Amino acid sequence: MSVVRSVCVSLLILLSSFSCIAEEIPSIAAAANIKFALDKIATQFTQDTGKQVRISYGSSGNLVTQIRHGAPFELFLSADDKYIYQLHKLGVVTSDGALYAIGRLAIAAPKLSPLTLDVSLNGLKDLLAQGKLTRFAIANPDHAPYGERARELLKNMGLWEEIESHLIYGENVSQAAQFALSGSTDGGIVALSLAIAPQFKAAGHFVALPDALYSPMNQRMVLTKKAGETAKLFYQYLQEDRARDIFFEFGFGLPPQAEEQ
């Protein structure tokens, strides 16, 4: 009996140890547009600190809904600062967090697309005028900031009403990029950070669009009330030079390094 009891106690201790290890890996919620950059940063973070993070990607609006309903995220990286301010106003988080990157848009198309890419969208205008545009992808503007900015840009260029019937919407900007470069559309307006990534770049081509055509994409992050030490360490790491260099590599603008709360 004592041997059986000893084995049971050992198993309980082992299971408890596994549970503790799991609890030390924080769940991070992140906007889909930073996937490739953040995956690379997370790998570097683990190499530098020995700590790990678990990242879930999605549209910022949908992630906010999950956080408001009690999802166990310890850190949220949004594609638009308005969602962070919203959470702070509701008392879900205790601060406005910090800017970590400035997002940018790009127009992208698969290699065999008839769409000519240019910063003034003249190629898109010509394809529409010729009645040859089939489908064009953007993220859903109702809950994805990059879709919201794409809609704003198309309106500013006087193209929205004409192109709206040709649009297909990605649930988030990563899915929109897949649509834009898979060959199922003539192209799309997506995050530059995705278009520039090797995984997407190999499937087509892209042109970065002028920042003046749409409202600033201030990407802000914030710790939640559930944040543990590893999440706090990762939050600080994201503001340091190694992380900022990777964001820059993927086409993001960088906020002043002193901007932190």
Side-chain angles (χ1 to χ4, degrees):
M1 180 64 70
S2 61
V3 173
V4 172
R5 183 175 300 162
S6 177
V7 170
C8 289
V9 170
S10 297
L11 284 171
L12 285 171
I13 292 172
L14 186 60
L15 289 171
S16 176
S17 297
F18 284 143
S19 176
C20 290
I21 291 171
E23 289 173 0
E24 291 175 358
I25 303 178
S27 292
I28 310 298
N33 76 290
I34 61 173
K35 174 175 172 50
F36 298 114
L38 194 60
D39 282 350
K40 186 170 182 177
I41 291 169
T43 298
Q44 188 65 55
F45 173 74
T46 299
Q47 292 176 359
D48 290 346
T49 67
K51 305 287 187 180
Q52 298 181 45
V53 293
R54 185 182 298 109
I55 306 171
S56 296
Y57 294 99
S59 69
S60 296
N62 284 341
L63 291 171
V64 164
T65 299
Q66 293 177 40
I67 292 169
R68 290 182 61 183
H69 286 83
F73 297 121
E74 299 183 31
L75 173 62
F76 172 41
L77 292 94
S78 176
D80 193 333
D81 54 7
K82 72 177 183 181
Y83 290 108
I84 303 298
Y85 297 141
Q86 181 185 113
L87 290 174
H88 190 199
K89 185 176 181 179
L90 292 170
V92 178
V93 296
T94 58
S95 79
D96 285 337
L99 286 176
Y100 64 90
I102 311 298
R104 299 183 65 197
L105 292 177
I107 183 168
K111 291 180 178 178
L112 298 179
S113 172
L115 177 61
T116 300
L117 304 183
D118 61 279
V119 296
S120 299
L121 301 187
N122 290 322
L124 182 58
K125 293 174 185 176
D126 290 344
L127 210 59
L128 276 167
Q130 296 164 18
K132 294 181 179 179
L133 184 72
T134 57
R135 297 194 295 176
F136 193 77
I138 66 171
N140 190 323
D142 291 337
H143 55 74
Y146 276 82
E148 182 182 334
R149 296 306 195 284
R151 178 175 61 187
E152 178 189 0
L153 182 149
L154 290 166
K155 285 185 176 181
N156 289 341
M157 299 296 286
L159 294 172
W160 179 255
E161 291 185 5
E162 191 175 358
I163 203 172
E164 189 174 7
S165 63
H166 298 278
L167 295 176
I168 64 168
Y169 298 113
E171 181 65 15
N172 52 60
V173 73
S174 181
Q175 188 178 65
Q178 292 172 21
F179 291 157
L181 291 165
S182 66
S184 62
T185 69
D186 293 320
I189 293 177
V190 299
L192 175 62
S193 58
L194 297 178
I196 209 170
Q199 294 89 329
F200 283 106
K201 192 175 181 180
H205 50 289
F206 69 92
V207 170
L209 294 171
D211 298 343
L213 295 178
Y214 53 93
S215 301
M217 188 78 70
N218 294 322
Q219 302 205 191
R220 185 172 286 269
M221 61 181 173
V222 70
L223 292 162
T224 73
K225 294 177 181 178
K226 298 178 175 69
E229 291 306 311
T230 300
K232 292 175 182 177
L233 184 63
F234 190 53
Y235 175 79
Q236 294 300 324
Y237 190 87
L238 288 165
Q239 299 172 68
E240 296 173 2
D241 287 341
R242 284 195 176 185
R244 287 165 60 85
D245 288 347
I246 293 172
F247 280 128
F248 186 77
E249 174 189 340
F250 281 85
F252 290 99
L254 299 177
Q257 202 158 15
E259 204 283 352
E260 178 182 343
Q261 296 180 16

